[in-house]
Amino acid sequence: MDNVKNNWWQAHRPTTRRLVQLYSALLHNAHVRGFIDGSIYTGKAKYACVPGLNCYSCPGAAGSCPLGAIQNALASAGHRAGWYVLGIVMLFGVTLGRTICGWLCPLGLIQELLHRIPTPKLRKNRVTRALSWSKYILLSVFVVAIPLWYGLRHQVPLPGFCKYICPAGTLEGAMGLLAVPANAPYYSMLGVLFTRKFVIMLVIGLACVFCYRSFCRFICPLGAIYGLFNRFNVIGVKVDADRCDRCGACVRHCSMDVRRVGDHECIHCGKCMEACTRGAISIRAGRVTLKAPEKEGVPGRRRPGRIVRGVALAALCLALTWFNLLDPAVRNDVGQAQTATEATATPAETEAPDATSYESDAPIGHEVGQQLEDFTLACYDGAEFHLADARGKVVFINLWATYCTPCVHELPYFSDLYAAHREDIAMVAVHSGLVTEDPGAFIADRGYDMPFATDADDKVNAIVGGNGTLPQTIVLDRKGVVVYNQIGSVTPEALAALFDEADK
């Protein structure tokens, strides 16, 4: 029996690469509590790009997706240069190249797991090799041309690939959020765009079942970018030219559309080492051998391996502790949520203009029929927005960000409404605490005449029950009672109708 168990384990034990992939996926999505409460992590770590393709909107995402950051930077090219994004992508490319695809990308892991489903498989051929160039077309059109066009011509951030194609955005972002019961009310927001992207995700997922890493090979623009660095990357598969006899076994046994080991299609997975009868292939970091053919052996590697595993485990534990318990952004959300809960039974006790006429006994909260906890924000024009001072007026609160396409589209609607009912409306547009460019300069450049502020510590986001998804609009009647609180875009007609409803 023991022999049977041992044989089964030897046949099914995860490889080193599989363990690294699982480790990387968890590290990319270290904000585990996001999958429980349905919120998006908005701490300072979100300023940093992770190496693999992992949606920014995934509830667990602890960093930004480099592909989304590239599109955002190009869309803002008329206002600032995206040197940080360019630098970090070049750093990833020079050090790792497509080793990121083979070892670190969470979406790469998902594709490989799908391919393990028992079905007939499509082997690579001339057609797949030709199709492998299509990702460079998608890179040129959806990642470069569309964001640049909308950013320079229309001054609107439009991440073309993220909005129209990316399956990671649908699977990790949209479905990751909608899978949480607390976000069930958002089902009504789903429209044609989500349906189209959902179908695209299913088609890509089905293709991965029959064809190895279909998304990586034919679609992924990030893989296309990293592939440009494969000739120069420091860490990856290297061939010892003195030992190689040019038999071609490495290329024949590779599931990717490579023409030679290490070219732009190579993901440096190391499978070619097993096919090489000469032991000429190894994974190296410069002159340091990280993984060599089993038959050669590497004396003295057991202890350093344990040290590396120990350090990696400690780093993972530290990341999970930080992003779920210690990060100020996470602690603030918890503290503010508890404060709001404790105050639910007690109405706000603040003096405001005409307090006698416009006082309300509604409980504190963010749902329709409740009144928001009081807050004060410093606006970009030097004034302050104090919610308690807005009693007697209809209040519009808009949560937005410069990198959010629907947010930028609807800002003129709020500005026009404010101009038309200035005496009867108290309005503030609150920028996300995650600032990728100067919101003040962005606003001044467009000449909006309404109060703007930044929610630097995400206090307002917690008070209104936001989960990081933008845009979000909150409307209060003259007594401060919530009559509308929804995530999603609004139209001028909808805003006018909301004003009429709150003005009753």
Side-chain angles (χ1 to χ4, degrees):
M1 182 64 69
D2 290 339
N3 289 334
V4 173
K5 290 182 178 180
N6 290 335
N7 292 336
W8 183 92
W9 173 246
Q10 290 299 324
H12 295 85
R13 64 183 299 178
T15 62
T16 300
R17 188 171 73 93
R18 183 70 76 229
L19 292 174
V20 172
Q21 286 178 304
L22 292 169
Y23 175 88
S24 176
L26 186 53
L27 205 57
H28 275 72
N29 298 284
H31 183 239
V32 179
R33 66 181 303 155
F35 294 105
I36 300 173
D37 57 28
S39 64
I40 298 174
Y41 171 74
T42 57
K44 299 301 181 183
K46 234 14 181 324
Y47 286 97
C49 290
V50 295
L53 188 68
N54 192 72
C55 185
Y56 163 95
S57 297
C58 179
S64 294
C65 175
L67 195 60
I70 290 170
Q71 295 170 83
N72 192 354
L74 290 173
S76 304
H79 311 285
R80 62 182 175 88
W83 298 118
Y84 162 72
V85 176
L86 177 63
I88 196 68
V89 171
M90 289 185 66
L91 178 63
F92 287 148
V94 171
T95 55
L96 291 164
R98 293 202 74 181
T99 304
I100 294 170
C101 305
W103 291 75
L104 303 179
C105 181
L107 199 59
L109 171 62
I110 293 173
Q111 292 177 80
E112 292 187 7
L113 294 179
L114 287 174
H115 192 66
R116 291 178 65 89
I117 297 175
T119 59
K121 306 300 180 184
L122 176 66
R123 299 179 63 85
K124 65 180 181 181
N125 51 60
R126 293 181 179 180
V127 175
T128 61
R129 282 200 174 104
L131 288 175
S132 68
W133 292 97
S134 61
K135 58 180 171 288
Y136 291 93
I137 298 175
L138 295 173
L139 170 65
S140 301
V141 176
F142 288 90
V143 178
V144 178
I146 290 178
L148 272 177
W149 169 259
Y150 278 89
L152 296 175
R153 183 62 182 263
H154 303 288
Q155 296 185 331
V156 172
L158 182 61
F161 187 80
C162 293
K163 181 173 183 178
Y164 298 118
I165 298 177
C166 187
T170 308
L171 177 63
E172 300 174 356
M175 295 184 65
L177 290 169
L178 294 174
V180 179
N183 292 333
Y186 303 145
Y187 290 164
S188 60
M189 294 167 47
L190 303 180
V192 175
L193 181 62
F194 173 80
T195 303
R196 185 165 59 242
K197 286 195 65 180
F198 185 77
V199 171
I200 290 174
M201 181 197 71
L202 290 180
V203 170
I204 292 175
L206 187 63
C208 291
V209 173
F210 298 98
C211 183
Y212 183 75
R213 277 183 172 248
S214 296
F215 177 76
C216 284
R217 293 163 66 182
F218 313 130
I219 300 174
C220 182
L222 188 60
I225 294 173
Y226 288 150
L228 300 176
F229 295 91
N230 258 8
R231 182 174 296 183
F232 316 105
N233 63 312
V234 176
I235 302 175
V237 172
K238 310 295 180 183
V239 179
D240 186 342
D242 294 334
R243 305 182 70 172
C244 178
D245 61 1
R246 313 294 193 281
C247 68
C250 50
V251 174
R252 289 195 303 272
H253 285 79
C254 180
S255 299
M256 300 294 287
D257 297 289
V258 300
R259 294 185 179 276
R260 60 176 180 79
V261 174
D263 68 8
H264 65 279
E265 291 299 320
C266 178
I267 60 173
H268 302 276
C269 63
K271 290 182 180 178
C272 52
M273 290 192 301
E274 303 171 4
C276 182
T277 59
R278 304 277 296 180
I281 304 174
S282 59
I283 298 178
R284 299 202 295 267
R287 296 183 178 181
V288 178
T289 300
L290 301 178
K291 186 175 178 61
E294 291 291 336
K295 62 182 181 181
E296 289 194 352
V298 181
R301 290 185 59 180
R302 186 175 182 182
R303 187 170 181 178
R306 289 181 177 178
I307 294 174
V308 170
R309 287 194 294 270
V311 171
L313 183 60
L316 179 60
C317 291
L318 179 62
L320 292 173
T321 303
W322 174 260
F323 287 111
N324 294 281
L325 298 174
L326 302 181
D327 190 301
V330 175
R331 295 172 64 185
N332 287 343
D333 287 347
V334 174
Q336 289 158 9
Q338 290 175 343
T339 300
T341 301
E342 293 168 358
T344 299
T346 307
E349 298 178 0
T350 55
E351 293 296 327
D354 299 321
T356 303
S357 303
Y358 295 107
E359 64 182 9
S360 171
D361 58 359
I364 299 295
H366 56 77
E367 303 290 345
V368 173
Q370 300 177 331
Q371 56 178 322
L372 296 181
E373 178 187 347
D374 191 24
F375 63 85
T376 301
L377 287 173
C379 298
Y380 286 105
D381 60 3
E384 280 191 343
F385 180 90
H386 189 193
L387 183 60
D389 292 341
R391 288 294 175 91
K393 293 186 175 183
V394 175
V395 179
F396 281 80
I397 303 170
N398 175 240
L399 305 189
W400 73 291
T402 55
Y403 50 81
C404 168
T405 305
C407 301
V408 176
H409 269 302
E410 68 181 16
L411 277 180
Y413 309 153
F414 286 93
S415 182
D416 293 343
L417 182 71
Y418 184 69
H421 303 279
R422 188 182 298 268
E423 300 301 321
D424 296 309
I425 285 181
M427 182 179 289
V428 62
V430 186
H431 193 283
S432 164
L434 183 65
V435 179
T436 59
E437 61 180 289
D438 184 359
F442 183 94
I443 295 160
D445 192 40
R446 286 157 177 76
Y448 295 132
D449 183 23
M450 55 188 258
F452 284 85
T454 293
D455 190 17
D457 57 2
D458 284 330
K459 179 180 180 181
V460 175
N461 185 68
I463 289 175
V464 302
N467 66 0
T469 304
L470 300 174
Q472 181 174 353
T473 300
I474 305 93
V475 184
L476 315 179
D477 65 15
R478 294 181 184 271
K479 291 186 176 183
V481 177
V482 178
V483 297
Y484 180 85
N485 187 351
Q486 291 288 333
I487 291 173
S489 301
V490 293
T491 63
E493 295 76 17
L495 286 177
L498 287 171
F499 173 74
D500 293 338
E501 180 183 352
D503 194 32
K504 292 178 180 178

